[in-house]
Amino acid sequence: MSEEESEEEGENVRAGDSGHCSEEDEEESGDDDDGEEEEDDKEESEDESMEEDDAAGATMKKQTASESEEEEEEQGGLRWKEGLQQKASEAFLRQQKAAPNLRKLVYGSVVEADDSDDEEQELGGLFRVSRPQNS
Amino acid sequence: MASHGLAYDGCNFFRQRLVLSTLSGKRVKIKNIRSKDDNPGLRDFEASLIRLLDKVTNGSIIEINQTGTVLFYQPGLLYGGSVEHDCNLQRSVGYYLEALLMLAPFMKTSLKATLRGVTNDPRDPTVDMLKSTALPLMKKFGIDGEGFDLKVVKRGMAPGGGGEVVFTCPVRRTIRPVQLTDPAKIKRIRGVAYSVRVSPQMANRIVESARGVLNQFIPDIYIYTDHMKGANSGKSPGFGLTLVAETLNGSFLSAEMSSMPQGQGDPKLPEDLGRDCAKLLLEEVHRGGCVDSSNQSLALLLMTLGQQDVSKVLLGPLSPYTIEFLRHIRDFFQLMFKIEVQKPSEDERKGGDKVLMTCVGVGYSNINKTIK
């Protein structure tokens, strides 16, 4: 059996299995990860090489990115919960990298101090007189 | 509007507003000071600050309404001279001293202030920290001389207080513009581990654990232990650590930590305190810049008040307090800084993003100072 054949077989098996993951998810995760793709792939291939059964295990190294994502979906719907902290920290760092215009942030909103309140209406700056006193 | 000077709302940044008002000579009116609070109006420590301002100025008009929710302040001339003040125990002497540091160079006669109260608490910058960072910073702006000193006579921990600090500062007619754009590498680390009314061994335990963290990075570390006894030890027990990292170009970055006041919060082991404080220092070094985060506003103020020339200072990330200070500088002095983000290059490994602040001083000259 050549390596290519075995790969096809493995793919077929997977396609049959993955009933619980939708196409959308796949696309989304494909779009998002452009920066992190390399890392993710490495992790996955490591994970799988430990868990995977005989046929697929041999051809692991040859997998393309899309295939490895299929694998991810296959392992369970709760896979997205993994590495949330890392994802969050990466998103945070990415946001920080986009340099903000600090000058605008500091001076941007011009707050006009309003001094037009009439003084007579207030007693001690705390209580407001709603009607004039009778006594 | 013009008749009332500047108007503000709420109790935040109270100190900034009063200090800038005093320096610029603009009247300020602050309304709605905790007007929705169960306990409305000015707090005791704020009233104490107003009293201190009244002592160092001549001819100030201060009007506070009955409930203390509205304050009107018309600053007089900064007089200086010999001043004694019992600071309120709610805040430490550092709170009052930070205001005095900003005002002292612009007095008529050189200031000699004796402040009594809490010298070290976890909330405000302690006297030791101001001594080791704010003073060298001011020296760069041309404020120095033999009369420039901050001395801890007695140490008083929160909540009891009982400490005493003497601050002397010469007056200057103008402030020198500065160009601080390269902090360079850390040269050495110094520190003070203090303990009062506890075992003197506490300070040693702090030093040991702090060194355990810092020795991995730099060999030149010396942390003094300062154990005050008897009448000099204040009224409450406590301990703490102040660490200062000095760079090759003479910038100072500091971090500090104090034990929680007696009867408040969980007690902290001196070992933990030393280790945490050392980590805080590492974080401060990561933030970097030529001025550490607690003195950013002081540096910006002195840049603003410099001669009409360009000043540049490289800071770490701006603290929220500094951002508000920048807005207040715009209100009082009509000066806006040029703010540029400087990213450290990949191979340089100089910590987090830096901010380069550039401005042209307003050409402030000390009108209070007598010309001899």
Side-chain angles (χ1 to χ4, degrees):
Chain A
M1 205 201 273
S2 73
E3 279 188 272
E4 285 174 7
E5 275 177 348
S6 68
E7 198 180 354
E8 276 181 15
E9 266 188 27
E11 218 179 333
N12 286 338
V13 172
R14 273 172 242 135
D17 257 358
S18 61
H20 49 261
C21 49
S22 63
E23 291 283 339
E24 286 173 10
D25 287 342
E26 206 175 310
E27 277 178 23
E28 268 182 19
S29 55
D31 290 4
D32 276 347
D33 295 343
D34 29 35
E36 306 137 24
E37 214 161 35
E38 287 182 0
E39 279 183 21
D40 285 355
D41 286 353
K42 265 185 222 162
E43 281 178 22
E44 276 152 29
S45 58
E46 277 170 19
D47 290 349
E48 285 154 10
S49 62
M50 286 189 286
E51 299 160 15
E52 199 65 27
D53 46 326
D54 41 18
T59 61
M60 219 55 248
K61 299 267 157 68
K62 281 206 161 188
Q63 273 191 336
T64 62
S66 65
E67 276 175 352
S68 72
E69 248 139 45
E70 257 182 44
E71 282 289 330
E72 183 184 337
E73 312 289 353
E74 193 183 11
Q75 293 206 340
L78 297 182
R79 186 68 189 264
W80 62 271
K81 281 193 175 178
E82 286 175 24
L84 271 186
Q85 198 182 3
Q86 198 202 344
K87 276 182 205 162
S89 73
E90 274 162 356
F92 174 70
L93 287 175
R94 220 182 304 137
Q95 220 169 28
Q96 289 237 312
K97 266 180 198 164
N101 183 358
L102 282 182
R103 194 182 162 92
K104 197 177 167 189
L105 283 178
V106 171
Y107 295 119
S109 56
V110 182
V111 183
E112 290 286 339
D114 191 11
D115 202 31
S116 59
D117 287 13
D118 26 357
E119 301 293 296
E120 298 86 5
Q121 290 282 300
E122 283 179 3
L123 275 184
L126 184 59
F127 310 107
R128 198 172 284 276
V129 183
S130 56
R131 61 194 160 106
Q133 283 178 320
N134 291 326
S135 58
Chain B
M1 185 73 200
S3 62
H4 284 294
L6 289 159
Y8 288 105
D9 230 33
C11 63
N12 281 346
F13 309 104
F14 182 77
R15 205 170 30 152
Q16 285 183 7
R17 288 166 182 169
L18 291 188
V19 166
L20 287 172
S21 161
T22 313
L23 287 172
S24 66
K26 286 189 174 152
R27 286 173 277 190
V28 67
K29 185 171 191 179
I30 304 174
K31 293 193 295 186
N32 294 329
I33 302 173
R34 299 195 182 88
S35 55
K36 299 251 163 50
D37 206 288
D38 286 344
N39 177 16
L42 291 165
R43 292 278 179 272
D44 289 345
F45 67 88
E46 288 163 335
S48 180
L49 179 72
I50 295 173
R51 244 169 266 134
L52 176 63
L53 282 179
D54 194 31
K55 279 179 191 169
V56 295
T57 56
N58 192 5
S60 296
I61 298 172
I62 300 158
E63 286 167 12
I64 304 171
N65 75 340
Q66 216 164 13
T67 48
T69 52
V70 178
L71 167 78
F72 174 74
Y73 177 64
Q74 180 180 332
L77 291 175
L78 281 164
Y79 191 79
S82 201
V83 171
E84 285 190 25
H85 189 67
D86 288 320
C87 301
N88 191 279
L89 299 182
Q90 288 171 349
R91 298 296 286 260
S92 79
V93 166
Y95 176 82
Y96 303 88
L97 207 52
E98 275 190 314
L100 275 189
L101 283 168
M102 291 178 171
L103 296 173
F106 307 103
M107 305 261 177
K108 180 183 172 79
T109 55
S110 52
L111 179 76
K112 179 176 187 290
T114 309
L115 304 175
R116 294 193 196 86
V118 178
T119 57
N120 301 72
D121 76 350
R123 190 172 173 192
D124 288 302
T126 64
V127 178
D128 305 84
M129 184 166 169
L130 292 174
K131 183 187 166 86
S132 54
T133 57
L135 265 58
L137 175 67
M138 290 172 78
K139 281 181 185 157
K140 297 208 174 214
F141 286 89
I143 305 160
D144 52 4
E146 56 209 62
F148 191 47
D149 195 21
L150 177 58
K151 226 181 282 173
V152 184
V153 182
K154 296 175 189 171
R155 203 179 281 282
M157 302 291 293
E164 187 176 317
V165 174
V166 179
F167 172 55
T168 54
C169 182
V171 289
R172 284 290 169 269
R173 185 162 171 74
T174 50
I175 298 294
R176 191 198 298 159
V178 295
Q179 309 275 333
L180 303 173
T181 50
D182 183 21
K185 288 184 176 174
I186 303 295
K187 177 165 66 175
R188 57 172 161 241
I189 293 175
R190 294 287 177 266
V192 182
Y194 50 87
S195 57
V196 289
R197 296 192 172 264
V198 292
S199 157
Q201 201 56 36
M202 291 289 200
N204 296 337
R205 287 164 67 184
I206 295 173
V207 171
E208 199 170 321
S209 64
R211 288 191 75 111
V213 175
L214 297 174
N215 261 339
Q216 301 167 35
F217 302 97
I218 190 168
D220 188 358
I221 302 173
Y222 197 90
I223 302 172
Y224 301 85
T225 53
D226 178 12
H227 183 74
M228 287 197 165
K229 287 179 193 164
N232 292 338
S233 65
K235 291 171 185 162
S236 299
F239 52 86
L241 173 65
T242 307
L243 289 172
V244 183
E246 186 183 350
T247 67
L248 287 168
N249 288 354
S251 301
F252 293 83
L253 305 166
S254 70
E256 65 174 355
M257 209 170 228
S258 297
S259 59
M260 291 305 285
Q262 195 177 25
Q264 296 171 24
D266 295 328
K268 198 160 191 161
L269 280 178
E271 281 83 6
D272 293 344
L273 187 137
R275 197 170 50 246
D276 292 353
C277 186
K279 286 176 186 166
L280 279 181
L281 182 73
L282 296 181
E283 196 183 327
E284 190 63 49
V285 171
H286 175 81
R287 283 196 213 115
C290 295
V291 179
D292 74 342
S293 48
S294 59
N295 290 307
Q296 284 174 353
S297 48
L298 177 64
L300 293 176
L301 178 76
L302 292 175
M303 283 166 74
T304 306
L305 299 179
Q307 287 162 337
Q308 286 200 324
D309 200 350
V310 178
S311 289
K312 281 185 182 182
V313 167
L314 188 74
L315 302 178
L318 299 178
S319 67
Y321 186 83
T322 309
I323 292 171
E324 198 59 37
F325 194 80
L326 285 167
R327 292 177 186 148
H328 279 115
I329 283 182
R330 183 191 52 180
D331 289 352
F332 283 95
F333 290 102
Q334 286 81 45
L335 181 100
M336 283 163 90
F337 281 77
K338 187 181 176 199
I339 308 171
E340 290 166 298
V341 179
Q342 279 199 340
K343 286 193 193 305
S345 56
E346 286 293 322
D347 48 323
E348 229 176 358
R349 295 205 295 175
K350 274 190 179 170
D353 286 358
K354 307 284 182 282
V355 184
L356 183 66
M357 308 291 293
T358 314
C359 79
V360 177
V362 293
Y364 187 87
S365 67
N366 185 355
I367 51 163
N368 304 310
K369 186 174 186 291
T370 46
I371 303 166
K372 285 164 194 163

